[in-house]
Amino acid sequence: MIPPFKKRLNVDITSRLKDIGFEKKGIIYVFSNNQDSALSLNITSRRSSEKNVIILSVHVGVSIRSVNRLFLRLNNLPKNNPYVSEDMFIVGCNLGYLMPEKGYKEWFFNEFTYSEETLNEMVDTIKKYAFHYYEGRNSLESLCHYVYETNEINTQIRRDEYYPIILYLSDKKNEAIRYVTQIRDSKRYEGLDGENYIRFTENFLQLTKL
């Protein structure tokens, strides 16, 4: 009996998030108050050991579209992949880590006792903490510092690509060139990852010559 309930829950979530400015784009919800930056939400679900319960978690991310466009181009990534877009996270984390408890947070929805109370609490939490996270990271300047310093796992994975791109777009071309060549020459990456970073570096250095 869960599928109809999950459909209803998705409709309710989309409606409530639309009320606070989010638009559903593919698998994520996107809020933007300017042309280049966006606050994105990826809401994932899992089944509980209780058959009639859906568990939701909210992952919050910030993107700069000009950065992601260049990231996609330099990595030759296809644009028809639902996980690849100008609004994909550059930095982000589970919503719970933005709360005072600073721990992974989930919301439990029971199809037999469902009311909007839990949904309201989830949306209120998004309003209280996600927008504050966005405001501190929605410019090239603020994001540049954060990408370099953060210990967020998802950001660390792509730091050596995102950081030089942000430097380049911030008119710090020489710093960007030094960074990518230093990472390439350090042989930090091995195997396929190393080949991919060499290719990224070659594409990036070619860009700086234009």
Side-chain angles (χ1 to χ4, degrees):
M1 295 190 52
I2 280 285
F5 173 58
K6 186 174 182 180
K7 183 177 180 180
R8 177 191 172 187
L9 188 56
N10 285 337
V11 169
D12 288 350
I13 290 169
T14 299
S15 175
R16 288 300 315 280
L17 290 179
K18 184 177 180 180
D19 289 342
I20 59 173
F22 284 91
E23 176 185 359
K24 197 167 193 319
K25 291 188 175 182
I27 62 172
I28 62 175
Y29 295 89
V30 178
F31 169 89
S32 181
N33 58 7
N34 63 55
Q35 292 184 338
D36 200 33
S37 69
L39 168 64
S40 299
L41 305 175
N42 183 18
I43 300 178
T44 59
S45 65
R46 66 180 180 91
R47 292 288 293 271
S48 168
S49 57
E50 300 179 54
K51 294 182 179 180
N52 304 307
V53 173
I54 293 177
I55 304 172
L56 298 184
S57 57
V58 181
H59 301 274
V60 180
V62 176
S63 63
I64 302 288
R65 288 162 175 158
S66 56
V67 173
N68 274 332
R69 281 194 293 270
L70 202 48
F71 176 86
L72 295 173
R73 173 182 161 191
L74 294 174
N75 283 290
N76 301 313
L77 293 175
K79 295 183 179 179
N80 58 352
N81 185 321
Y83 297 96
V84 173
S85 77
E86 295 179 359
D87 295 315
M88 61 187 180
F89 295 8
I90 295 175
V91 296
C93 62
N94 178 272
L95 180 58
Y97 290 101
L98 306 181
M99 300 168 67
E101 297 81 0
K102 297 192 181 302
Y104 197 88
K105 173 71 174 175
E106 294 178 317
W107 282 266
F108 292 71
F109 296 85
N110 188 311
E111 68 175 319
F112 294 143
T113 60
Y114 173 64
S115 70
E116 292 191 359
E117 183 178 352
T118 303
L119 179 57
N120 290 340
E121 196 266 329
M122 187 178 83
V123 173
D124 287 343
T125 304
I126 290 170
K127 288 168 61 177
K128 185 172 183 178
Y129 296 104
F131 286 99
H132 178 72
Y133 181 80
Y134 172 63
E135 291 300 328
R137 295 158 184 83
N138 64 357
S139 68
L140 285 173
E141 181 180 2
S142 59
L143 199 62
C144 184
H145 176 75
Y146 194 77
V147 165
Y148 188 76
E149 296 290 341
T150 185
N151 59 2
E152 291 174 357
I153 298 299
N154 290 337
T155 304
Q156 288 180 333
I157 292 171
R158 292 294 190 180
R159 171 183 291 149
D160 293 334
E161 293 160 297
Y162 274 127
Y163 185 62
I165 290 173
I166 296 170
L167 287 174
Y168 174 77
L169 292 176
S170 302
D171 296 322
K172 298 177 181 178
K173 183 172 73 173
N174 291 336
E175 289 183 46
I177 292 172
R178 283 196 298 271
Y179 188 86
V180 295
T181 53
Q182 178 183 356
I183 298 300
R184 178 199 61 192
D185 296 344
S186 72
K187 302 189 186 312
R188 176 183 296 180
Y189 301 100
E190 300 177 348
L192 182 59
D193 288 339
E195 294 174 10
N196 289 339
Y197 198 77
I198 289 173
R199 183 162 54 249
F200 168 83
T201 303
E202 290 172 348
N203 291 339
F204 185 83
L205 293 177
Q206 184 62 38
L207 171 71
T208 63
K209 296 176 182 178
L210 298 179

PDB file of all heavy atoms in Angstrom, residues 34-61:
ATOM      1  N   ASN A  34      18.754  34.799  -7.787  1.00  0.00           N
ATOM      2  CA  ASN A  34      19.530  35.521  -8.794  1.00  0.00           C
ATOM      3  C   ASN A  34      19.799  34.580  -9.949  1.00  0.00           C
ATOM      4  O   ASN A  34      19.399  33.416  -9.931  1.00  0.00           O
ATOM      5  CB  ASN A  34      20.834  36.094  -8.208  1.00  0.00           C
ATOM      6  CG  ASN A  34      21.775  35.002  -7.722  1.00  0.00           C
ATOM      7  OD1 ASN A  34      22.131  34.101  -8.469  1.00  0.00           O
ATOM      8  ND2 ASN A  34      22.185  35.092  -6.459  1.00  0.00           N
ATOM      9  N   GLN A  35      20.486  35.050 -10.971  1.00  0.00           N
ATOM     10  CA  GLN A  35      20.656  34.249 -12.176  1.00  0.00           C
ATOM     11  C   GLN A  35      21.739  33.194 -12.054  1.00  0.00           C
ATOM     12  O   GLN A  35      21.753  32.234 -12.829  1.00  0.00           O
ATOM     13  CB  GLN A  35      20.976  35.167 -13.367  1.00  0.00           C
ATOM     14  CG  GLN A  35      19.817  36.061 -13.768  1.00  0.00           C
ATOM     15  CD  GLN A  35      20.143  36.879 -15.005  1.00  0.00           C
ATOM     16  OE1 GLN A  35      21.302  37.099 -15.331  1.00  0.00           O
ATOM     17  NE2 GLN A  35      19.112  37.315 -15.707  1.00  0.00           N
ATOM     18  N   ASP A  36      22.661  33.331 -11.108  1.00  0.00           N
ATOM     19  CA  ASP A  36      23.823  32.444 -11.125  1.00  0.00           C
ATOM     20  C   ASP A  36      23.883  31.441  -9.982  1.00  0.00           C
ATOM     21  O   ASP A  36      24.491  30.385 -10.128  1.00  0.00           O
ATOM     22  CB  ASP A  36      25.118  33.267 -11.145  1.00  0.00           C
ATOM     23  CG  ASP A  36      26.312  32.461 -11.637  1.00  0.00           C
ATOM     24  OD1 ASP A  36      26.117  31.584 -12.502  1.00  0.00           O
ATOM     25  OD2 ASP A  36      27.434  32.703 -11.162  1.00  0.00           O
ATOM     26  N   SER A  37      23.275  31.724  -8.853  1.00  0.00           N
ATOM     27  CA  SER A  37      23.392  30.792  -7.727  1.00  0.00           C
ATOM     28  C   SER A  37      22.052  30.127  -7.436  1.00  0.00           C
ATOM     29  O   SER A  37      20.992  30.634  -7.798  1.00  0.00           O
ATOM     30  CB  SER A  37      23.896  31.517  -6.471  1.00  0.00           C
ATOM     31  OG  SER A  37      22.910  32.409  -5.988  1.00  0.00           O
ATOM     32  N   ALA A  38      22.119  28.978  -6.774  1.00  0.00           N
ATOM     33  CA  ALA A  38      20.894  28.261  -6.451  1.00  0.00           C
ATOM     34  C   ALA A  38      21.073  27.466  -5.161  1.00  0.00           C
ATOM     35  O   ALA A  38      22.161  26.972  -4.859  1.00  0.00           O
ATOM     36  CB  ALA A  38      20.507  27.316  -7.584  1.00  0.00           C
ATOM     37  N   LEU A  39      19.973  27.384  -4.420  1.00  0.00           N
ATOM     38  CA  LEU A  39      19.880  26.492  -3.266  1.00  0.00           C
ATOM     39  C   LEU A  39      19.093  25.276  -3.724  1.00  0.00           C
ATOM     40  O   LEU A  39      17.990  25.411  -4.262  1.00  0.00           O
ATOM     41  CB  LEU A  39      19.153  27.193  -2.114  1.00  0.00           C
ATOM     42  CG  LEU A  39      18.709  26.328  -0.937  1.00  0.00           C
ATOM     43  CD1 LEU A  39      19.903  25.727  -0.211  1.00  0.00           C
ATOM     44  CD2 LEU A  39      17.852  27.144   0.031  1.00  0.00           C
ATOM     45  N   SER A  40      19.666  24.095  -3.557  1.00  0.00           N
ATOM     46  CA  SER A  40      19.014  22.878  -4.033  1.00  0.00           C
ATOM     47  C   SER A  40      18.760  21.913  -2.878  1.00  0.00           C
ATOM     48  O   SER A  40      19.536  21.862  -1.921  1.00  0.00           O
ATOM     49  CB  SER A  40      19.881  22.189  -5.097  1.00  0.00           C
ATOM     50  OG  SER A  40      20.076  23.032  -6.214  1.00  0.00           O
ATOM     51  N   LEU A  41      17.682  21.163  -3.010  1.00  0.00           N
ATOM     52  CA  LEU A  41      17.336  20.131  -2.036  1.00  0.00           C
ATOM     53  C   LEU A  41      17.205  18.799  -2.756  1.00  0.00           C
ATOM     54  O   LEU A  41      16.528  18.702  -3.779  1.00  0.00           O
ATOM     55  CB  LEU A  41      15.992  20.446  -1.353  1.00  0.00           C
ATOM     56  CG  LEU A  41      15.836  21.807  -0.675  1.00  0.00           C
ATOM     57  CD1 LEU A  41      14.408  21.962  -0.166  1.00  0.00           C
ATOM     58  CD2 LEU A  41      16.823  21.966   0.471  1.00  0.00           C
ATOM     59  N   ASN A  42      17.861  17.798  -2.226  1.00  0.00           N
ATOM     60  CA  ASN A  42      17.687  16.436  -2.717  1.00  0.00           C
ATOM     61  C   ASN A  42      17.038  15.639  -1.587  1.00  0.00           C
ATOM     62  O   ASN A  42      17.667  15.392  -0.552  1.00  0.00           O
ATOM     63  CB  ASN A  42      19.035  15.823  -3.109  1.00  0.00           C
ATOM     64  CG  ASN A  42      18.882  14.427  -3.684  1.00  0.00           C
ATOM     65  OD1 ASN A  42      17.795  14.035  -4.096  1.00  0.00           O
ATOM     66  ND2 ASN A  42      19.959  13.680  -3.700  1.00  0.00           N
ATOM     67  N   ILE A  43      15.773  15.280  -1.772  1.00  0.00           N
ATOM     68  CA  ILE A  43      15.025  14.584  -0.734  1.00  0.00           C
ATOM     69  C   ILE A  43      14.973  13.100  -1.095  1.00  0.00           C
ATOM     70  O   ILE A  43      14.393  12.716  -2.102  1.00  0.00           O
ATOM     71  CB  ILE A  43      13.609  15.166  -0.583  1.00  0.00           C
ATOM     72  CG1 ILE A  43      13.700  16.657  -0.217  1.00  0.00           C
ATOM     73  CG2 ILE A  43      12.819  14.406   0.475  1.00  0.00           C
ATOM     74  CD1 ILE A  43      12.361  17.351  -0.099  1.00  0.00           C
ATOM     75  N   THR A  44      15.613  12.299  -0.276  1.00  0.00           N
ATOM     76  CA  THR A  44      15.695  10.866  -0.553  1.00  0.00           C
ATOM     77  C   THR A  44      14.837  10.095   0.441  1.00  0.00           C
ATOM     78  O   THR A  44      14.582  10.556   1.558  1.00  0.00           O
ATOM     79  CB  THR A  44      17.142  10.364  -0.469  1.00  0.00           C
ATOM     80  OG1 THR A  44      17.674  10.631   0.839  1.00  0.00           O
ATOM     81  CG2 THR A  44      18.016  11.070  -1.500  1.00  0.00           C
ATOM     82  N   SER A  45      14.384   8.921   0.016  1.00  0.00           N
ATOM     83  CA  SER A  45      13.504   8.120   0.867  1.00  0.00           C
ATOM     84  C   SER A  45      14.050   6.708   1.016  1.00  0.00           C
ATOM     85  O   SER A  45      14.799   6.210   0.165  1.00  0.00           O
ATOM     86  CB  SER A  45      12.095   8.069   0.268  1.00  0.00           C
ATOM     87  OG  SER A  45      12.112   7.388  -0.975  1.00  0.00           O
ATOM     88  N   ARG A  46      13.670   6.081   2.111  1.00  0.00           N
ATOM     89  CA  ARG A  46      13.976   4.668   2.314  1.00  0.00           C
ATOM     90  C   ARG A  46      12.830   4.040   3.098  1.00  0.00           C
ATOM     91  O   ARG A  46      12.114   4.725   3.827  1.00  0.00           O
ATOM     92  CB  ARG A  46      15.304   4.474   3.043  1.00  0.00           C
ATOM     93  CG  ARG A  46      15.352   4.974   4.484  1.00  0.00           C
ATOM     94  CD  ARG A  46      16.706   4.731   5.110  1.00  0.00           C
ATOM     95  NE  ARG A  46      16.789   5.192   6.493  1.00  0.00           N
ATOM     96  CZ  ARG A  46      16.504   4.447   7.556  1.00  0.00           C
ATOM     97  NH1 ARG A  46      16.079   3.198   7.377  1.00  0.00           N
ATOM     98  NH2 ARG A  46      16.611   4.918   8.775  1.00  0.00           N
ATOM     99  N   ARG A  47      12.661   2.750   2.909  1.00  0.00           N
ATOM    100  CA  ARG A  47      11.612   2.046   3.630  1.00  0.00           C
ATOM    101  C   ARG A  47      12.092   1.684   5.027  1.00  0.00           C
ATOM    102  O   ARG A  47      13.240   1.297   5.227  1.00  0.00           O
ATOM    103  CB  ARG A  47      11.202   0.788   2.874  1.00  0.00           C
ATOM    104  CG  ARG A  47      10.486   1.045   1.566  1.00  0.00           C
ATOM    105  CD  ARG A  47       9.075   1.568   1.760  1.00  0.00           C
ATOM    106  NE  ARG A  47       8.215   0.560   2.350  1.00  0.00           N
ATOM    107  CZ  ARG A  47       7.526  -0.330   1.649  1.00  0.00           C
ATOM    108  NH1 ARG A  47       7.628  -0.348   0.331  1.00  0.00           N
ATOM    109  NH2 ARG A  47       6.744  -1.211   2.247  1.00  0.00           N
ATOM    110  N   SER A  48      11.203   1.781   5.973  1.00  0.00           N
ATOM    111  CA  SER A  48      11.505   1.398   7.347  1.00  0.00           C
ATOM    112  C   SER A  48      11.273  -0.106   7.530  1.00  0.00           C
ATOM    113  O   SER A  48      10.670  -0.767   6.678  1.00  0.00           O
ATOM    114  CB  SER A  48      10.610   2.183   8.297  1.00  0.00           C
ATOM    115  OG  SER A  48      10.663   1.663   9.598  1.00  0.00           O
ATOM    116  N   SER A  49      11.739  -0.643   8.644  1.00  0.00           N
ATOM    117  CA  SER A  49      11.410  -2.024   9.000  1.00  0.00           C
ATOM    118  C   SER A  49       9.915  -2.147   9.275  1.00  0.00           C
ATOM    119  O   SER A  49       9.337  -3.231   9.169  1.00  0.00           O
ATOM    120  CB  SER A  49      12.215  -2.459  10.224  1.00  0.00           C
ATOM    121  OG  SER A  49      11.980  -1.580  11.314  1.00  0.00           O
ATOM    122  N   GLU A  50       9.285  -1.020   9.587  1.00  0.00           N
ATOM    123  CA  GLU A  50       7.824  -0.975   9.685  1.00  0.00           C
ATOM    124  C   GLU A  50       7.270  -0.799   8.278  1.00  0.00           C
ATOM    125  O   GLU A  50       7.572   0.190   7.600  1.00  0.00           O
ATOM    126  CB  GLU A  50       7.380   0.177  10.580  1.00  0.00           C
ATOM    127  CG  GLU A  50       7.893   0.111  12.006  1.00  0.00           C
ATOM    128  CD  GLU A  50       7.427   1.300  12.823  1.00  0.00           C
ATOM    129  OE1 GLU A  50       6.206   1.546  12.860  1.00  0.00           O
ATOM    130  OE2 GLU A  50       8.280   1.978  13.398  1.00  0.00           O
ATOM    131  N   LYS A  51       6.467  -1.722   7.826  1.00  0.00           N
ATOM    132  CA  LYS A  51       6.057  -1.778   6.423  1.00  0.00           C
ATOM    133  C   LYS A  51       5.332  -0.527   5.936  1.00  0.00           C
ATOM    134  O   LYS A  51       5.347  -0.213   4.750  1.00  0.00           O
ATOM    135  CB  LYS A  51       5.172  -2.996   6.193  1.00  0.00           C
ATOM    136  CG  LYS A  51       5.897  -4.324   6.373  1.00  0.00           C
ATOM    137  CD  LYS A  51       4.971  -5.488   6.081  1.00  0.00           C
ATOM    138  CE  LYS A  51       5.702  -6.815   6.249  1.00  0.00           C
ATOM    139  NZ  LYS A  51       4.813  -7.979   5.977  1.00  0.00           N
ATOM    140  N   ASN A  52       4.688   0.174   6.837  1.00  0.00           N
ATOM    141  CA  ASN A  52       3.848   1.301   6.424  1.00  0.00           C
ATOM    142  C   ASN A  52       4.507   2.658   6.643  1.00  0.00           C
ATOM    143  O   ASN A  52       3.838   3.682   6.651  1.00  0.00           O
ATOM    144  CB  ASN A  52       2.509   1.248   7.167  1.00  0.00           C
ATOM    145  CG  ASN A  52       1.802  -0.075   6.951  1.00  0.00           C
ATOM    146  OD1 ASN A  52       1.598  -0.495   5.822  1.00  0.00           O
ATOM    147  ND2 ASN A  52       1.452  -0.742   8.039  1.00  0.00           N
ATOM    148  N   VAL A  53       5.839   2.656   6.823  1.00  0.00           N
ATOM    149  CA  VAL A  53       6.553   3.896   7.118  1.00  0.00           C
ATOM    150  C   VAL A  53       7.573   4.219   6.024  1.00  0.00           C
ATOM    151  O   VAL A  53       8.319   3.346   5.580  1.00  0.00           O
ATOM    152  CB  VAL A  53       7.271   3.804   8.480  1.00  0.00           C
ATOM    153  CG1 VAL A  53       8.153   5.035   8.725  1.00  0.00           C
ATOM    154  CG2 VAL A  53       6.252   3.653   9.602  1.00  0.00           C
ATOM    155  N   ILE A  54       7.572   5.477   5.583  1.00  0.00           N
ATOM    156  CA  ILE A  54       8.587   6.005   4.679  1.00  0.00           C
ATOM    157  C   ILE A  54       9.458   6.967   5.473  1.00  0.00           C
ATOM    158  O   ILE A  54       8.949   7.813   6.214  1.00  0.00           O
ATOM    159  CB  ILE A  54       7.960   6.737   3.482  1.00  0.00           C
ATOM    160  CG1 ILE A  54       7.214   5.749   2.576  1.00  0.00           C
ATOM    161  CG2 ILE A  54       9.023   7.483   2.666  1.00  0.00           C
ATOM    162  CD1 ILE A  54       6.509   6.420   1.409  1.00  0.00           C
ATOM    163  N   ILE A  55      10.757   6.839   5.303  1.00  0.00           N
ATOM    164  CA  ILE A  55      11.701   7.709   6.001  1.00  0.00           C
ATOM    165  C   ILE A  55      12.348   8.633   4.984  1.00  0.00           C
ATOM    166  O   ILE A  55      12.911   8.181   3.986  1.00  0.00           O
ATOM    167  CB  ILE A  55      12.781   6.883   6.720  1.00  0.00           C
ATOM    168  CG1 ILE A  55      12.129   5.883   7.685  1.00  0.00           C
ATOM    169  CG2 ILE A  55      13.742   7.795   7.472  1.00  0.00           C
ATOM    170  CD1 ILE A  55      13.099   4.893   8.294  1.00  0.00           C
ATOM    171  N   LEU A  56      12.270   9.934   5.229  1.00  0.00           N
ATOM    172  CA  LEU A  56      12.836  10.928   4.317  1.00  0.00           C
ATOM    173  C   LEU A  56      14.032  11.631   4.948  1.00  0.00           C
ATOM    174  O   LEU A  56      14.048  11.905   6.143  1.00  0.00           O
ATOM    175  CB  LEU A  56      11.791  11.983   3.946  1.00  0.00           C
ATOM    176  CG  LEU A  56      10.542  11.530   3.215  1.00  0.00           C
ATOM    177  CD1 LEU A  56       9.687  12.747   2.846  1.00  0.00           C
ATOM    178  CD2 LEU A  56      10.884  10.733   1.967  1.00  0.00           C
ATOM    179  N   SER A  57      15.021  11.919   4.128  1.00  0.00           N
ATOM    180  CA  SER A  57      16.138  12.764   4.546  1.00  0.00           C
ATOM    181  C   SER A  57      16.300  13.872   3.522  1.00  0.00           C
ATOM    182  O   SER A  57      16.029  13.691   2.332  1.00  0.00           O
ATOM    183  CB  SER A  57      17.436  11.957   4.684  1.00  0.00           C
ATOM    184  OG  SER A  57      17.746  11.294   3.471  1.00  0.00           O
ATOM    185  N   VAL A  58      16.724  15.039   3.990  1.00  0.00           N
ATOM    186  CA  VAL A  58      16.864  16.219   3.138  1.00  0.00           C
ATOM    187  C   VAL A  58      18.336  16.595   3.054  1.00  0.00           C
ATOM    188  O   VAL A  58      18.979  16.850   4.075  1.00  0.00           O
ATOM    189  CB  VAL A  58      16.055  17.411   3.696  1.00  0.00           C
ATOM    190  CG1 VAL A  58      16.203  18.625   2.780  1.00  0.00           C
ATOM    191  CG2 VAL A  58      14.587  17.033   3.870  1.00  0.00           C
ATOM    192  N   HIS A  59      18.841  16.619   1.844  1.00  0.00           N
ATOM    193  CA  HIS A  59      20.233  17.026   1.623  1.00  0.00           C
ATOM    194  C   HIS A  59      20.223  18.413   0.976  1.00  0.00           C
ATOM    195  O   HIS A  59      19.555  18.629  -0.037  1.00  0.00           O
ATOM    196  CB  HIS A  59      20.952  16.004   0.754  1.00  0.00           C
ATOM    197  CG  HIS A  59      20.968  14.637   1.364  1.00  0.00           C
ATOM    198  ND1 HIS A  59      21.928  14.226   2.258  1.00  0.00           N
ATOM    199  CD2 HIS A  59      20.089  13.607   1.254  1.00  0.00           C
ATOM    200  CE1 HIS A  59      21.665  12.995   2.654  1.00  0.00           C
ATOM    201  NE2 HIS A  59      20.552  12.601   2.066  1.00  0.00           N
ATOM    202  N   VAL A  60      20.948  19.324   1.574  1.00  0.00           N
ATOM    203  CA  VAL A  60      20.958  20.727   1.176  1.00  0.00           C
ATOM    204  C   VAL A  60      22.250  21.040   0.430  1.00  0.00           C
ATOM    205  O   VAL A  60      23.335  20.652   0.877  1.00  0.00           O
ATOM    206  CB  VAL A  60      20.855  21.644   2.422  1.00  0.00           C
ATOM    207  CG1 VAL A  60      20.874  23.111   2.012  1.00  0.00           C
ATOM    208  CG2 VAL A  60      19.605  21.311   3.214  1.00  0.00           C
ATOM    209  N   GLY A  61      22.139  21.727  -0.697  1.00  0.00           N
ATOM    210  CA  GLY A  61      23.339  22.070  -1.444  1.00  0.00           C
ATOM    211  C   GLY A  61      23.256  23.449  -2.068  1.00  0.00           C
ATOM    212  O   GLY A  61      22.162  23.987  -2.273  1.00  0.00           O
TER     213      GLY A  61
END
